Amino acid sequence: MADTLRRLTNTSSFSVLQDKLESWHKDYHVISCDQNLNRCCELIELTAKIQGQLFAILNLTAAEGGHYAGVDTLKTRLLPWLGTCFSMARPSVTDDTSLQLIQDSVEKDRKIKELSFSHESDMQKMETQLCSTRLQLDSVRAELIDAKNELDDTKSKSATTLLATEDEILQLKADLRSAHEQVEIYKRKLDALDDYERQIRLLRDEVSYLSTEKAMLQERLVRSRSPSPLLRASRSSSPVRSESPTRAQLTNSSRHARLVSRFSDLYAVERLEAQSLLRRYIADLQMVQKIIFIAVVESFKFAKLAYRQFKLRVRKTLSPSHFGPESLEDAAVDYIVRNLDLYDVQSSVDDVINAMNVDPRISFPPEVDFGRISTLIREACRVAFAMQTLETPLDLAFASDGELYNDSRYRRSYDSEFTAPLVMYHVWPALMEGNTVIVKGEALTRRNAPWTRSRSRSRSASPVRSRSLSPTRSLVFNSKRSLSPDRLTASRL
């Protein structure tokens, strides 16, 4: 009997029956009626074969039990079942219910087998981990014993050298103090060296300026010693005299190159720092780039206004005592070039922040102040103020959202649509010298960029927008700080 049962188990007849039944269920609505009947007959034949094997096992089992073993089971289970099978009455349990019970039983057996298999695998893994943990514990214990022995040896050795170690520590502390003192001395010397280098540069500029003046004076002296009486007569009768170049004119080219380089550094350094700072509070990158662009444009506007006011004050101060070959205008510009540190940049920064607070094109979280990007604004104001002292002042190109993209003035940003003809907004302004582009700006182009009217018309047409400002962002309209007349004394001039 055991061999018959083993063969029935190995053949997996019920698994085959279940697979065929599932395949028939999937294809029932696809295949024809004859094919469905063939499938059903095939399943009935397979069921009959399995039942025949089960009846053979039942017969062998009953024979192994003797004459009386299993009689009660046959009477109570097999005979009633056979009676219900051959009776004409309808059974109490339907075919669907019996099939459902069989399926539930098979599913439970399968789950039990899976659970037992997973339990055995988990037990094996846990035993493996336990063995490895024990090995690690033994190695750690051995290392702990070795470390304890080394610690004992170190304690015994350190006890003998404790006094010498304390002396060495005191000596090292003294050396460290002396090293710190030397570092401070070197720092002071380095600062003094920087001051010396700055003074040397100033002296070199003075020497070059004086050398040029000397050459001009020598040339005039040579011309004045000319033996031609006609030339002398013409010179004595002519009121026009040749003007010697000022310091601003002599250093114009070097200052021009330095300021253009500083403008490029604003784009590469300060702009990125301000952008990373604003991204902590504003998730929209486009709004951050608009804020930075407007901050630079407003900085140039207020720096040019401060330059004009400062120049007027200088001319007013110099006019009573002005004399020399250069004009009053050149003397005023030369004074401004020599004293750029007198520019009240903080006043321009405050004006820029106040203008940005009421600008309807940008938005900002109410808990954050525009003063957080004051470093960029301050540097832009200084660069713009110094650019006005050049022989041909540098300025920003006019820009408006929705304008036609100009490849000679701007380059497209990395996220632009390179076939779009319109500018959606500007990332960085272009630097102009008259009508010549010195440094290209950056713009973002989109096909759906809106056409906009001029700035004045759009501002007049748009309603005034009120903002609920936090205390840290309240508008403080201070009066513009002007230079006192004491700072423009004759000694400084």
Side-chain angles (χ1 to χ4, degrees):
M1 187 278 297
D3 296 335
T4 306
L5 182 60
R6 188 183 308 107
R7 286 195 301 272
L8 181 61
T9 304
N10 293 332
T11 54
S12 302
S13 301
F14 286 99
S15 300
V16 175
L17 180 64
Q18 181 66 24
D19 295 338
K20 290 181 176 294
L21 189 62
E22 291 177 355
S23 176
W24 184 29
H25 179 264
K26 292 179 181 179
D27 301 336
Y28 182 79
H29 296 286
V30 180
I31 61 180
S32 62
C33 179
D34 293 336
Q35 291 176 346
N36 286 327
L37 293 177
N38 290 329
R39 291 279 186 92
C40 185
C41 292
E42 184 180 357
L43 291 174
I44 292 173
E45 292 175 356
L46 183 60
T47 306
K49 290 179 181 179
I50 295 172
Q51 287 181 353
Q53 293 178 2
L54 291 175
F55 274 110
I57 294 172
L58 180 66
N59 189 17
L60 293 174
T61 306
E64 289 177 357
H67 293 283
Y68 301 101
V71 175
D72 295 334
T73 304
L74 294 175
K75 288 180 179 181
T76 57
R77 298 196 64 178
L78 181 62
L79 293 179
W81 178 73
L82 291 175
T84 55
C85 288
F86 290 102
S87 65
M88 297 301 293
R90 185 175 181 85
S92 60
V93 180
T94 62
D95 296 337
D96 295 336
T97 305
S98 62
L99 289 174
Q100 184 66 32
L101 293 174
I102 292 172
Q103 291 177 357
D104 292 341
S105 177
V106 171
E107 184 67 22
K108 288 180 181 179
D109 292 339
R110 185 181 61 80
K111 289 182 178 180
I112 290 171
K113 289 181 181 179
E114 291 179 354
L115 289 175
S116 61
F117 179 75
S118 63
H119 178 69
E120 290 177 358
S121 61
D122 292 339
M123 288 295 293
Q124 291 178 358
K125 291 180 180 178
M126 291 178 65
E127 289 178 357
T128 305
Q129 292 178 358
L130 182 61
C131 293
S132 62
T133 306
R134 286 177 180 175
L135 294 175
Q136 292 178 0
L137 182 60
D138 294 337
S139 63
V140 170
R141 285 178 180 174
E143 292 177 357
L144 183 60
I145 293 172
D146 296 338
K148 187 176 181 180
N149 295 330
E150 291 180 359
L151 181 60
D152 294 336
D153 295 338
T154 305
K155 286 182 179 180
S156 61
K157 292 179 181 179
S158 61
T160 58
T161 58
L162 182 60
L163 297 176
T165 305
E166 290 179 354
D167 295 336
E168 291 178 357
I169 290 173
L170 295 175
Q171 183 64 30
L172 289 174
K173 286 183 178 179
D175 295 339
L176 183 61
R177 284 195 297 271
S178 63
H180 282 303
E181 293 175 356
Q182 291 179 0
V183 168
E184 293 296 332
I185 293 171
Y186 290 150
K187 285 183 179 179
R188 289 194 292 270
K189 290 182 178 180
L190 184 60
D191 295 337
L193 182 61
D194 292 338
D195 294 336
Y196 292 155
E197 290 179 353
R198 192 179 303 109
Q199 293 177 5
I200 288 171
R201 286 196 298 269
L202 294 176
L203 290 174
R204 286 177 179 173
D205 293 339
E206 292 287 344
V207 168
S208 61
Y209 173 67
L210 293 175
S211 299
T212 306
E213 283 191 349
K214 180 181 177 182
M216 295 293 295
L217 291 174
Q218 287 178 353
E219 184 178 355
R220 291 174 61 185
L221 182 60
V222 170
R223 290 179 181 178
S224 64
R225 291 179 180 177
S226 176
S228 174
L230 181 60
L231 183 59
R232 263 201 310 271
S234 63
R235 287 188 177 181
S236 61
S237 61
S238 176
V240 181
R241 54 188 174 182
S242 62
E243 297 180 355
S244 61
T246 62
R247 176 193 177 98
Q249 294 172 349
L250 290 173
T251 61
N252 184 75
S253 60
S254 61
R255 289 187 294 110
H256 181 280
R258 185 171 66 252
L259 290 174
V260 171
S261 176
R262 186 69 188 94
F263 184 79
S264 300
D265 293 339
L266 281 177
Y267 172 79
V269 181
E270 280 82 358
R271 180 187 70 89
L272 296 180
E273 292 177 355
Q275 180 173 314
S276 62
L277 180 61
L278 292 179
R279 287 302 298 275
R280 300 177 186 175
Y281 309 100
I282 303 177
D284 189 4
L285 178 60
Q286 294 184 1
M287 182 54 61
V288 170
Q289 292 176 344
K290 286 183 179 179
I291 290 172
I292 294 175
F293 175 78
I294 294 174
V296 175
V297 173
E298 294 293 334
S299 300
F300 267 75
K301 183 178 74 174
F302 284 102
K304 290 189 293 184
L305 178 62
Y307 175 78
R308 288 194 293 268
Q309 295 174 355
F310 186 69
K311 188 176 180 181
L312 290 175
R313 290 195 297 270
V314 172
R315 291 183 61 182
K316 185 178 179 181
T317 306
L318 292 178
S319 58
S321 59
H322 174 68
F323 63 92
E326 71 276 1
S327 62
L328 180 60
E329 184 77 13
D330 294 338
V333 175
D334 187 66
Y335 176 80
I336 296 173
V337 170
R338 292 172 182 268
N339 300 277
L340 288 176
D341 55 339
L342 297 180
Y343 167 47
D344 189 7
V345 66
Q346 186 60 40
S347 177
S348 298
V349 172
D350 295 337
D351 293 337
V352 171
I353 293 176
N354 292 336
M356 292 176 66
N357 282 329
V358 297
D359 197 318
R361 295 173 296 173
I362 56 178
S363 61
F364 209 59
E367 66 274 7
V368 186
D369 188 9
F370 280 117
R372 295 184 179 274
I373 58 172
S374 60
T375 302
L376 172 65
I377 298 174
R378 182 176 291 103
E379 294 301 321
C381 288
R382 287 175 178 171
V383 172
F385 187 87
M387 283 180 177
Q388 306 311 307
T389 63
L390 298 175
E391 186 175 351
T392 302
L394 302 181
D395 199 359
L396 300 182
F398 176 76
S400 63
D401 296 343
E403 67 178 355
L404 191 64
Y405 174 74
N406 190 349
D407 188 62
S408 62
R409 289 189 179 182
Y410 300 99
R411 59 176 177 273
R412 301 178 194 264
S413 59
Y414 69 94
D415 52 348
S416 298
E417 293 180 2
F418 288 89
T419 58
L422 300 180
V423 175
M424 187 172 185
Y425 67 90
H426 296 80
V427 179
W428 190 255
L431 187 64
M432 305 286 293
E433 184 178 7
N435 295 326
T436 306
V437 179
I438 303 300
V439 179
K440 278 190 177 183
E442 184 176 346
L444 184 138
T445 56
R446 287 283 190 273
R447 289 190 174 276
N448 57 350
W451 285 97
T452 57
R453 298 181 179 179
S454 64
R455 183 179 301 179
S456 60
R457 183 176 300 178
S458 64
R459 286 190 176 181
S460 62
S462 62
V464 178
R465 183 176 62 180
S466 61
R467 294 190 181 186
S468 58
L469 300 177
S470 63
T472 60
R473 203 182 166 199
S474 60
L475 296 178
V476 181
F477 294 95
N478 296 327
S479 60
K480 295 181 180 180
R481 292 178 289 178
S482 60
L483 295 174
S484 61
D486 299 336
R487 300 180 70 180
L488 295 175
T489 58
S491 60
R492 294 298 300 271
L493 297 175

